[in-house]
Amino acid sequence: MPTYSAPLEDFRFLYHEYLDLEPCRSLPSMAEASSDLIDAVLDEAARLAQEVLQPINAVGDIEGCRYQDHCVTLPEGFGAAYKQYIENGWTGLTTDPDYGGQGLPSFLGLALSEMINAANPSFSAYPGLTHGAYEVLHAYGTDDQKRRFLPPMVEGRWSGTMNLTEPQCGTDLGLIRTRAEPTDDGRYRITGTKIWISAGEHDLCENIVHLVLARLPDAPAGTRGISLFVVPKFHVGEDGSLGERNGVRCMGLDHKMGMKASATCEMQYDGAIGELVGEQHRGLAAMFTMMNAARLVTGIQGLGMADVALQNAQRFALERLQGRSLDGARHPDKPADPIIVHPDVRRMLMIGRASVEGARALGLYTGVQLELEHHHADAEVRENAGHWVALMTPIIKACFTDIGSDVANLAMQVHGGAGYIVDTGVEQFVRDVRITQIYEGTNGVQALDLVGRKLVAHQGRTLAAFFQHAAGLLDSIGDEEGMSEFATPLAESLERLQATSKWLYGEMTRDPLEAGAASSDYLRLFALTALAFSWTGQAFAARRALAAGRGRPAFLEAKLATARFFFARMLPETLGLDAKVRAGGATLMALDAEQFRPD
């Protein structure tokens, strides 16, 4: 059966050697976040993931969720694990102390998110969605709503969801039909059907706080006519106490390829009482607070699932005996060599390692910018950090979830026939991670967001944020001995990305279809360049740590070797991607739509 070991040494390297936390030192969230505290949180999160959550992951996949009479029961062990999760304060790790949270920085929360997603991605859906709903209410709720809803959500006694999708619409939310009728007391009656609602019903909490998109009677058409409402499963009194059941029911569970212990529900609202969140007809803007946070977390989910798949592939490759090394037997005392000796197995493992470690560093770097955007006293610092976060959100969501699926499939390939057998547990990784490329906006939608919005946002300042950070890194490196093997290809990739971005912008203004034709390849090109930025920074940090005698030399040398693999074997893909972007959309659009009809 699969196992999981939290990558604590890598996390500590990133927090203490790679990341520049100095700009965050003055933030309230850093008041208690000493190096010792960060290490303690990482240790406890690792223990939770390894000892509590990972052992029930396979159980959740086998048993799945059970539906009966509008109620959902989670698999064995999930209730006890959730009880331990909330009793240890994990739901409040990064939330506002005014509502019972610990107020620690969001970039520390990303490490927790990676570990629990690696250990048990189905379990992670419940606290993850609650945190997203918390962020929306914290940002847009009235003082009264925050007073009544946030403390029990922070405590973990109540959970949260977001209700967007309907049978007739997914990404195109302008087509939603759920209605909100005003009542005499200033509240609303919500009527409609929502589908694919993660954690829409379960037996973990006292109450479930649904955030629901709906239309008022006088709403304009399209996305400009959408409002947001908070609709609790049980009515909430003025003192925060629970009342009668609201008019919302789970009508069934979806039967899915993976993530089977995450309850994906059809929710029926039949005159359910809700309260407006934010302004009328401005609900989509408020919900994007949750969606953008969810997209970052979904990227981290893909990363965590890639890591656990890679770990199990590495263990298998060290133990599985098959054939002999091409240059002669490495273990003549055994009937065969372990498959780790074979170059193609090494290729698959190194792709996984370079992808996971590069993504982890990029994700945490973005977490630091997220903290600056939300809490720094200087408006210019907040704005610049916000540009980075906005730009990286679609890249992280798409790239990291692609990594998750790619590495899980490589892990199955390393296992050979054993990987296809349920008993080894590897095929669960492939099934579970596949949804991450689809939900919270498909990766194709993320690519369109990058090209159609972020490429041109704020007169180019959003795009420029990445190049400014990369230029700052190269300036810091300067002529540092031994760094040219990393800095030079990064500089060349930056020039290529700038030129491609400029060319694509010109083509888009001529023909908007060119944006769609180029978008996925452009995002991949951008993502690899961002990973090159990440790996250059890690190599720089590893060399400085080695020179100063900090850290374990074997770990740091492995970090440099993995960086070299990335630059030699993965970054060159940008050359082909540049050509594919510039190939234009003519060959994509050449066939008439009817020529795709199979009959």
Side-chain angles (χ1 to χ4, degrees):
M1 294 299 291
T3 60
Y4 173 64
S5 298
L8 290 175
E9 189 170 22
D10 200 33
F11 276 128
R12 291 193 176 104
F13 166 76
L14 295 174
Y15 280 118
H16 303 318
E17 298 288 350
Y18 168 70
L19 295 173
D20 179 12
L21 300 183
E22 198 56 38
C24 298
R25 295 296 178 192
S26 62
L27 305 185
S29 59
M30 290 293 290
E32 304 294 331
S34 64
S35 295
D36 288 343
L37 180 68
I38 289 174
D39 287 345
V41 170
L42 292 173
D43 287 341
E44 289 304 312
R47 188 172 296 111
L48 169 79
Q50 294 166 180
E51 299 176 9
V52 178
L53 300 181
Q54 196 277 332
I56 61 173
N57 188 43
V59 174
D61 184 59
I62 294 167
E63 291 188 9
C65 299
R66 299 185 299 279
Y67 173 81
Q68 186 175 7
D69 297 331
H70 309 297
C71 296
V72 174
T73 303
L74 296 196
E76 182 179 354
F78 273 62
Y82 185 77
K83 185 173 184 290
Q84 183 170 342
Y85 187 89
I86 66 173
E87 286 178 349
N88 291 344
W90 293 112
T91 49
L93 185 71
T94 61
T95 53
D96 190 340
D98 288 344
Y99 302 100
Q102 299 171 47
L104 289 172
S106 54
F107 54 77
L108 191 54
L110 292 179
L112 169 67
S113 181
E114 181 189 327
M115 285 187 263
I116 66 173
N117 275 293
N120 196 323
S122 287
F123 178 92
S124 73
Y126 301 97
L129 282 158
T130 302
H131 187 78
Y134 155 86
E135 289 193 336
V136 173
L137 290 171
H138 190 269
Y140 293 95
T142 64
D143 290 341
D144 179 63
Q145 287 170 342
K146 289 188 277 192
R147 175 184 61 80
R148 288 183 292 129
F149 289 102
L150 293 187
M153 293 175 72
V154 168
E155 192 178 340
R157 291 188 292 111
W158 298 1
S159 65
T161 72
M162 60 176 173
N163 287 234
L164 289 75
T165 305
E166 299 182 7
Q168 77 286 351
C169 71
T171 301
D172 190 355
L173 291 171
L175 300 177
I176 69 168
R177 297 172 185 162
T178 299
R179 307 186 312 277
E181 299 285 344
T183 65
D184 294 338
D185 62 2
R187 297 184 296 174
Y188 299 82
R189 290 195 176 275
I190 312 299
T191 301
T193 299
K194 298 288 185 178
I195 63 170
W196 302 340
I197 307 305
S198 298
E201 174 63 26
H202 55 80
D203 57 353
L204 295 179
C205 300
E206 301 171 4
N207 202 10
I208 302 176
V209 179
H210 301 290
L211 294 181
V212 184
L213 291 180
R215 290 189 181 281
L216 293 167
D218 60 346
T223 57
R224 292 178 299 173
I226 298 174
S227 299
L228 178 64
F229 301 87
V230 55
V231 187
K233 175 180 176 179
F234 291 97
H235 293 294
V236 179
E238 283 301 312
D239 60 354
S241 62
L242 296 183
E244 296 180 352
R245 179 73 184 254
N246 206 348
V248 52
R249 295 287 189 277
C250 174
M251 303 305 291
L253 288 174
D254 290 309
H255 302 285
K256 303 177 296 183
M257 174 180 175
M259 297 277 284
K260 295 186 177 181
S262 169
T264 304
C265 306
E266 176 184 329
M267 304 301 296
Q268 183 69 45
Y269 293 84
D270 187 9
I273 297 298
E275 301 175 22
L276 182 68
V277 178
E279 301 177 27
Q280 292 185 1
H281 314 316
R282 297 281 297 164
L284 197 57
M287 188 62 93
F288 261 108
T289 297
M290 187 172 187
M291 291 171 66
N292 284 331
R295 286 170 177 175
L296 286 173
V297 171
T298 300
I300 299 300
Q301 184 175 54
L303 167 61
M305 295 162 82
D307 188 35
V308 69
L310 173 65
Q311 288 185 24
N312 284 274
Q314 291 176 145
R315 291 190 184 95
F316 185 85
L318 289 165
E319 297 167 0
R320 172 67 167 170
L321 303 181
Q322 193 78 32
R324 291 295 188 187
S325 174
L326 295 175
D327 60 355
R330 298 291 181 87
H331 298 271
D333 57 321
K334 297 180 179 180
D337 288 334
I339 61 173
I340 192 74
V341 304
H342 302 306
D344 195 58
V345 172
R346 290 292 190 103
R347 176 189 65 84
M348 292 186 282
L349 296 179
M350 288 301 292
I351 289 173
R353 186 175 186 134
S355 298
V356 166
E357 293 184 16
R360 182 178 293 129
L362 182 62
L364 292 181
Y365 189 98
T366 300
V368 172
Q369 300 307 309
L370 187 66
E371 198 66 16
L372 294 173
E373 179 192 13
H374 287 172
H375 301 297
H376 202 278
D378 189 319
E380 185 176 356
V381 172
R382 292 197 305 272
E383 181 182 8
N384 290 337
H387 288 315
W388 174 279
V389 173
L391 181 67
M392 283 296 142
T393 294
I395 293 172
I396 286 176
K397 195 281 178 182
C399 172
F400 288 19
T401 59
D402 283 348
I403 285 172
S405 189
D406 291 346
V407 174
N409 275 285
L410 287 172
M412 178 181 282
Q413 192 73 15
V414 170
H415 279 78
Y420 199 68
I421 303 301
V422 171
D423 292 347
T424 63
V426 180
E427 55 84 39
Q428 185 186 344
F429 300 143
V430 177
R431 289 187 289 105
D432 283 352
V433 75
R434 187 61 182 86
I435 187 59
T436 64
Q437 295 170 293
I438 298 172
Y439 63 12
E440 307 306 340
T442 67
N443 288 359
V445 169
Q446 305 307 314
L448 285 174
D449 178 44
L450 176 64
V451 172
R453 293 191 180 98
K454 306 304 167 55
L455 184 61
V456 298
H458 300 282
Q459 293 77 48
R461 294 198 303 277
T462 297
L463 178 66
F466 172 72
F467 294 103
Q468 290 165 359
H469 282 252
L473 173 62
L474 291 174
D475 287 344
S476 298
I477 293 170
D479 296 326
E480 180 91 9
E481 184 179 357
M483 280 300 299
S484 61
E485 62 176 319
F486 312 111
T488 298
L490 171 62
E492 292 171 351
S493 294
L494 291 168
E495 290 180 9
R496 182 177 304 114
L497 179 60
Q498 282 184 312
T500 306
S501 301
K502 182 178 179 180
W503 178 88
L504 180 57
Y505 177 76
E507 291 298 296
M508 287 164 49
T509 58
R510 180 183 60 80
D511 182 357
L513 281 178
E514 292 296 333
S519 59
S520 291
D521 292 318
Y522 178 77
L523 186 145
R524 176 68 177 166
L525 170 64
F526 208 131
L528 283 169
T529 309
L531 290 174
F533 165 79
S534 161
W535 270 115
T536 301
Q538 288 188 82
F540 191 34
R543 287 184 59 84
R544 286 181 298 175
L546 278 168
R550 297 189 303 269
R552 189 167 61 91
F555 169 84
L556 297 169
E557 291 290 356
K559 183 68 72 175
L560 291 170
T562 307
R564 292 186 185 103
F565 174 88
F566 173 83
F567 282 101
R569 302 292 295 253
M570 295 177 68
L571 187 61
E573 184 186 341
T574 57
L575 296 169
L577 289 165
D578 179 52
K580 290 167 74 173
V581 169
R582 293 172 184 269
T587 54
L588 288 179
M589 309 303 292
L591 296 182
D592 292 332
E594 284 300 309
Q595 291 178 277
F596 288 94
R597 192 177 299 281
D599 54 357

